[in-house]
Amino acid sequence: VDQTALPALRTTAVTDVDGLVDAIRRLVVRGAPALGVAGALGVALAARTLDGPALDTACDRLAAARPTAVNLAVGVARARAALPGGPDAVLAAALALRDEDIAACHAIGDRGADLLTALCGERPLRLHTHCNAGALACVEWGTALGVVRSLHARGRVAHVVADETRPLLQGSRITAVELAAIGVAHHVVVDGAGASVIARGLVDAVVVGADRIAADGDVANKIGTYPLALAAARAGIPFVVAAPESTVDPATPDGAHIEIEERAADEVCDGPAWNPAFDVTPHDLVTAIVTERRVW
Ligand code: MRU
């Protein structure tokens, strides 16, 4: 699915590494877990046509196509480790990663639903999310939206607030479409409204995904996440991060060491613009991080 075209459904075929690097940079495929699987499949593609230094260069280019979402480099490294076994072994490694991502998202959804019920009580919840951490950002189910889906399956979602997510509108173009497809009541708000919706008492909990989680629990996610964490802390409601273990990067000690992707100014406006794609929420503002293995 070409995610730049959503809500229009357009599919695209990627047949070489150049095409995949371009698709990743343009957000045709996006979302940390989906990037991990795409990167791994990219190595499988490269392994069929390249070898030697050209194959190494292709893997390096894939891993570096976007810098903040650590899953991309993790996915490339996973598939790359299988290169000595030949192209079929690389493809098998990539497909295993895909299957692990599906299982992880379902586990995160259930664990996150349990946690939010424990934190907020056994009633339908008003949830707030940012960007898109749903099925399209993963392989299926989703991370933050996986939690919403699992709660919805239990009849425990009253309403979801989805920030529209400037500048590329992943919230209004993708999250809102996913929520509509599964029949969850929701409204899109402009990003500037997010904190005040929380301050007005209209939200019970915030649940977001992550692109990289540092060893100390600092969380990088789509720009505009940090203000929600500040607002949630001020309002005394939970701010929960849902992500697979593959998003946790022990090699990054804290948020200050996470590279923040700077995107082109013309995504924002025709004039000069500063376009950081992610922000970092310090761990003291995070109520809990939910992975497929633990809550921390
Ligand atoms: O720039 P994007 O659209 O790739 O940013 C995506 C996000 O910030 C998501 O919240 C994150 O990758 C988690 S996806 C399960």
Side-chain angles (χ1 to χ4, degrees):
V1 174
D2 178 350
Q3 297 197 42
T4 65
L6 290 166
L9 188 58
R10 185 169 77 200
T11 57
T12 186
V14 171
T15 54
D16 58 23
V17 168
D18 284 345
L20 183 54
V21 169
D22 176 64
I24 289 170
R25 289 196 177 132
R26 290 192 300 108
L27 313 196
V28 170
V29 56
R30 50 146 295 283
L35 287 171
V37 176
L41 287 168
V43 177
L45 185 60
R48 293 192 180 276
T49 49
L50 304 171
D51 57 17
L55 180 51
D56 275 343
T57 303
C59 293
D60 290 343
R61 290 182 57 227
L62 281 167
R66 293 190 75 192
T68 305
V70 70
N71 298 65
L72 177 58
V74 167
V76 169
R78 260 290 282 277
R80 206 172 183 171
L83 279 171
D88 289 347
V90 181
L91 181 58
L95 295 178
L97 186 69
R98 174 200 63 182
D99 294 345
E100 284 171 29
D101 181 74
I102 293 169
C105 283
H106 285 275
I108 290 165
D110 289 344
R111 200 180 290 275
D114 291 346
L115 176 73
L116 283 175
T117 302
L119 290 170
C120 301
E122 301 203 350
R123 61 193 161 94
L125 299 177
R126 300 166 304 165
L127 302 167
H128 195 144
T129 194
H130 189 72
C131 195
N132 172 261
L136 285 156
C138 306
V139 179
E140 64 176 49
W141 204 248
T143 55
L145 279 195
V147 175
V148 172
R149 280 175 193 267
S150 295
L151 277 169
H152 179 56
R154 302 177 190 183
R156 291 276 162 73
V157 179
H159 182 258
V160 174
V161 177
D163 292 345
E164 70 174 350
T165 316
R166 284 277 297 158
L168 295 172
L169 308 178
Q170 290 93 331
S172 57
R173 290 189 303 102
I174 310 176
T175 297
V177 170
E178 288 195 31
L179 290 169
I182 58 172
V184 171
H186 62 281
H187 282 93
V188 172
V189 299
V190 297
D191 292 5
S196 90
V197 167
I198 292 169
R200 287 169 58 197
L202 301 175
V203 173
D204 298 312
V206 178
V207 57
V208 296
D211 287 85
R212 186 183 300 237
I213 301 171
D216 70 344
D218 291 351
V219 174
N221 193 49
K222 176 57 59 185
I223 192 82
T225 300
Y226 173 55
L228 295 187
L230 287 170
R234 170 75 187 219
I237 64 169
F239 177 88
V240 171
V241 174
E245 288 287 337
S246 51
T247 303
V248 181
D249 180 18
T252 300
D254 55 37
H257 288 84
I258 298 176
E259 182 180 349
I260 301 297
E261 178 182 359
E262 294 287 341
R263 295 188 59 83
D266 63 11
E267 286 183 347
V268 177
C269 63
D270 290 336
W274 185 26
N275 188 13
F278 299 94
D279 59 25
V280 174
T281 298
H283 60 270
D284 60 294
L285 292 179
V286 178
T287 308
I289 296 170
V290 180
T291 76
E292 68 274 31
R293 284 215 299 267
R294 56 186 166 151
V295 175
W296 58 302

